[in-house]
Every structure is written in structure tokens, then in C-alpha cells.
Amino acid sequence: MKIAFPIETDRGMDSELYGHFGSAPIFAVVDAAGGSFAAVDNGQHEHAHGQCQPTSGLSERGVQAVVCQGMGMRAVQKLNEIGISVYLAEGPTTVGKALQEFQAGRLPLFQPGDACQHHHGCH
């Protein structure tokens, strides 16, 4: 399974999760089975509120899940519509630690009450 994590700086599995999915400069795409890591530029990271296009690039890379700390409800809905599940990671964490939590089944699915109302101030 391929999982995308929003990050600001590529430090491999030690990359810290970025607070908001849509405005993250980079997505770390990790193959949970094989352990491969790819840093993918988010060409959509500068956009007007509500104009995030999170599906561009992720579905083409075979991403099946996103783990993040903040995301707008519209982005969650768009991802869910194309079969990508969204999970909530709490507190400051790295890609590696969030992946371990995901694989252990300890990350909850993103719920409507978890959605960001603005780009700034998310989780």
C-alpha cells in the first residue's frame, strides 16, 4: 500500500509532517510493503482557500491512503471520492513514526470535525 504524508523538507523517514495537507510543499509517498520513499513536489501548495486539488499526482502514483495533521473537508471528500482514505496523525511526528502508528492500526480515519476551517491554525 502506498501512503502519502505532507512534509515541508525531505529528510526521508525522519521528515516531519507538515500541519496542513494542501499547502505542504512536498508529499512523501511511502510504499508500506516495500519501504520505498519518494519525495513528490506539491505543485498545488500555493492556492486560494478551498481550491486545493489534492488528487493531482497522488492517484497516478498509486496512493491509497493519506496521513496528515490537518486538511479541509473538501479535500477529504475529493480524496475519498477517488478511493484514497485519509487518516489523522496527532501532535508533532515524523513520517516514520506516523507510518508505524498507521501500520499498528492506531490512526483514526479523518472525521468531519477534524477538518480545518482555514489554512492557518490547523492542528
Side-chain angles (χ1 to χ4, degrees), residues 9-92:
T9 305
D10 178 7
R11 293 189 178 113
M13 296 302 272
D14 292 327
S15 303
E16 295 213 12
L17 265 59
Y18 191 76
H20 184 80
F21 174 79
S23 57
I26 305 168
F27 295 123
V29 177
V30 178
D31 183 339
S36 67
F37 177 101
V40 179
D41 180 58
N42 176 13
Q44 298 285 321
H45 77 278
E46 292 185 20
H47 59 273
H49 180 68
Q51 300 303 310
C52 179
Q53 298 295 320
T55 60
S56 60
L58 295 182
S59 61
E60 293 139 15
R61 294 183 182 278
V63 170
Q64 296 168 291
V66 167
V67 173
C68 66
Q69 295 175 316
M71 182 184 293
M73 197 62 219
R74 189 167 166 200
V76 174
Q77 291 169 336
K78 286 181 181 181
L79 288 167
N80 288 168
E81 286 171 6
I82 62 166
I84 298 175
S85 300
V86 181
Y87 294 86
L88 181 63
E90 295 285 338

